[in-house]
Amino acid sequence: MLNYIWATLLFIGLLVAGLVGRVSGDASVIDAAMKGAEKAVMGIALPLAGMMMFWLGVLRLLEKAGVLEAVVRLLSPLLRRLFPDVPTGHPAMSAMVMNLSANMLGLSNNATPLGLKAMGHLQELNPHKQSASNAMITFLALNTGAFTLIPMTAMNFLNAAGVSHSFRVIVPTILATACASAAAVIAAKSFQRLPGFVAQPDEVITDEAQSSTVKPAGISSKAKFWLTLLGTLFIGVSALELGPPSWRQAVLDQTGLSAVLAKSAQRKAEAEKTLALKKEEAKAAAATQVKAEPPVWRRVMDGASGLAIPAILILAVGVAWARGVKVYEEFVDGAKEGFQVAVRIMPYLVAMLAVLAILRESGAFQLLEYLLAPLLNMLGFPVELLSLALMRPLSGSGAQGILNEILTRPDLSEMVKFTAGILYGSTETTFYVLTVYFGSVGIRRFRHALVAGLTADFIGMVAAVFFGRLLFAFT
């Protein structure tokens, strides 16, 4: 399934970019793809290697100290129901508990190394090494459900944009993520019974299959139709790219797309200007005024978030040291595999982030927002949140840019802004999670993992809009 989705996103991005004039020039989607590929390696994989080594070392100490065993024993009634295929006491259980706990506390970057460690243990139990197991899919569904107690990232964006009382998104985010997590588990458990998602035996790669002389499979009539359509559309956008600029402008004017793109570019520029101005004002105020005492709720939340990791370190090192464990040597032994994991996920990250950069910069989301606006208004879904809802499962950085644009728009109500914060905190970058986690253990067949993850995202979005309207409609 992911093969079709990846190719479709690439084709849509390139064709839309050709239509609106973003194939070449300053706004070239190819430049965006190269930057996305660079970010995959230099901005994600390599920094993740350091985090992986650190947290795998900490996890090793927690295991040696017996802390994880005690936590798993406490949660075993729930874990046995969620993961019946994982034996009681298996290391996968402790790694999954640590990962889900970090996600609940809003420590998403620190949760990833722990999740990758859990995937490695789950792969040890997997009888079909090329297909995702039921336990893997349920685990990733819970990650995409993203149950959160403290949505710190969303609150930080609300504060930076000047939206007061950002703490008001905490309770609705907890409720929305609870709905998403429940939907994720139900979807994972339900879809695994369907014949179309049954795990397939691993393919045996023979020397003949690896030979370059083997002829590729023929093209079916259905594939020929789609290939012909794709070629025809590409010829059309090539004509717009090579012909006089007036041709493209005439097409955009006649379809109304010119105004849509211009309005979107204006909103983005105004949002960036507004955010930069607010940052300058905050910096100037900080330099000339005595910093006000933060409210009690904020001081407690910031303090709790800051103490979470030191508490884990003291617990891991302190208990292990008290039990006579050679803490330094065990930490180093646990950290050794971190770099290899980061190297394994690089190709998967490059493939996904390069295509998402093309899709994001092509203008496809703005066009889809324009087309679906009447339907969304009828359903009561704020049209302004569509781009955020579409981008969130695909790209975290892209979703943050859209969230910032929404929060700094003066023409939007507080209800829409709070709902945007809840929606951001109630969903997860599903494609990124699947790419990184499955790529780290070489899974090729995702089975129903993508469907379960997108189901969780959809329920999270619906719940976010529902609670946003319920709590902030009269703000």
Side-chain angles (χ1 to χ4, degrees):
M1 179 184 290
L2 191 61
N3 290 313
Y4 294 107
I5 294 175
W6 186 84
T8 300
L9 295 178
L10 175 64
F11 295 150
I12 291 175
L14 291 175
L15 292 175
V16 173
L19 174 64
V20 302
R22 296 181 180 177
V23 172
S24 59
D26 296 335
S28 170
V29 294
I30 303 303
D31 288 344
M34 297 301 103
K35 292 178 181 177
E38 179 183 2
K39 178 183 177 183
V41 176
M42 305 302 294
I44 296 179
L46 291 181
L48 182 61
M51 295 180 64
M52 277 288 300
M53 288 185 275
F54 176 82
W55 280 109
L56 291 184
V58 172
L59 192 63
R60 180 68 168 264
L61 292 179
L62 287 170
E63 290 175 352
K64 293 294 182 179
V67 174
L68 292 182
E69 182 181 355
V71 174
V72 170
R73 190 163 53 245
L74 179 65
L75 299 176
S76 59
L78 175 61
L79 295 174
R80 281 200 301 267
R81 294 182 66 87
L82 289 174
F83 307 101
D85 300 332
V86 180
T88 303
H90 194 275
M93 286 291 195
S94 56
M96 288 190 289
V97 167
M98 288 290 293
N99 168 264
L100 296 174
S101 299
N103 276 325
M104 282 192 291
L105 295 174
L107 308 173
S108 55
N109 290 335
N110 298 291
T112 301
L114 301 170
L116 295 178
K117 180 67 172 178
M119 289 296 289
H121 287 310
L122 292 174
Q123 182 70 335
E124 296 170 1
L125 301 171
N126 187 8
H128 306 292
K129 301 302 183 183
Q130 297 175 359
S131 299
S133 66
N134 290 336
M136 287 179 175
I137 295 173
T138 302
F139 174 57
L140 290 189
L142 285 170
N143 268 269
T144 54
F147 180 71
T148 304
L149 294 175
I150 307 174
M152 289 303 299
T153 303
M155 293 172 61
N156 289 336
F157 273 96
L158 287 164
N159 288 327
V163 180
S164 58
H165 306 301
S166 62
F167 65 91
R168 298 175 69 187
V169 302
I170 295 177
V171 173
T173 300
I174 292 175
L175 296 174
T177 53
C179 294
S181 298
V185 174
I186 293 172
K189 297 295 185 182
S190 301
F191 289 133
Q192 73 184 30
R193 300 186 178 95
L194 299 180
F197 294 124
V198 174
Q200 300 295 323
D202 292 343
E203 294 179 0
V204 178
I205 303 177
T206 63
D207 294 337
E208 182 181 356
Q210 292 178 334
S211 174
S212 60
T213 60
V214 176
K215 294 182 179 180
I219 302 177
S220 65
S221 56
K222 183 179 180 181
K224 288 180 180 179
F225 167 77
W226 288 110
L227 193 58
T228 302
L229 178 62
L230 181 64
T232 303
L233 292 174
F234 184 72
I235 291 173
V237 299
S238 298
L240 295 178
E241 187 70 22
L242 299 175
S246 58
W247 289 5
R248 174 180 284 117
Q249 192 61 46
V251 173
L252 296 178
D253 291 341
Q254 289 295 324
T255 56
L257 299 180
S258 180
V260 174
L261 296 173
K263 185 177 180 181
S264 175
Q266 181 182 2
R267 286 202 309 258
K268 183 177 180 180
E270 290 176 352
E272 292 175 350
K273 182 179 179 181
T274 301
L275 183 62
L277 182 61
K278 288 183 179 296
K279 287 183 177 180
E280 290 296 328
E281 291 175 351
K283 188 182 297 184
T288 57
Q289 298 178 2
V290 177
K291 189 175 181 180
E293 182 71 18
V296 175
W297 66 268
R298 185 60 189 253
R299 188 173 68 252
V300 171
M301 289 184 61
D302 288 346
S305 299
L307 287 172
I309 294 178
I312 293 173
L313 292 175
I314 290 176
L315 182 66
V317 179
V319 176
W321 175 76
R323 291 192 170 185
V325 176
K326 297 179 179 179
V327 289
Y328 174 76
E329 295 175 11
E330 291 294 342
F331 182 93
V332 172
D333 286 341
K336 285 180 180 178
E337 64 180 285
F339 188 76
Q340 285 78 10
V341 173
V343 171
R344 284 202 300 269
I345 66 174
M346 284 183 187
Y348 300 93
L349 280 174
V350 170
M352 187 58 68
L353 293 188
V355 167
L356 293 181
I358 291 175
L359 186 69
R360 182 179 65 246
E361 299 300 326
S362 67
F365 290 122
Q366 293 91 329
L367 301 187
L368 191 59
E369 180 179 320
Y370 171 70
L371 295 173
L372 295 181
L375 176 62
L376 294 175
N377 285 327
M378 184 176 65
L379 296 175
F381 188 97
V383 179
E384 299 84 2
L385 301 183
L386 177 62
S387 294
L388 178 62
L390 293 173
M391 181 61 73
R392 185 65 175 121
L394 299 173
S395 169
S397 59
Q400 288 178 359
I402 295 174
L403 176 64
N404 171 62
E405 180 182 334
I406 292 171
L407 297 179
T408 53
R409 282 178 58 179
D411 59 315
L412 295 182
S413 65
E414 293 288 283
M415 186 274 288
V416 173
K417 294 181 180 181
F418 277 120
T419 303
I422 300 169
L423 191 152
Y424 181 87
S426 305
T427 50
E428 187 53 85
T429 50
T430 300
F431 283 84
Y432 170 80
V433 170
L434 297 186
T435 298
V436 172
Y437 281 41
F438 283 142
S440 68
V441 291
I443 294 294
R444 296 170 55 189
R445 302 187 186 94
F446 291 6
R447 297 176 61 208
H448 55 289
L450 181 59
V451 180
L454 293 179
T455 299
D457 285 332
F458 176 75
I459 297 300
M461 292 172 191
V462 172
V465 173
F466 173 78
F467 290 117
R469 285 191 172 277
L470 182 66
L471 299 176
F472 305 112
F474 301 104
T475 301

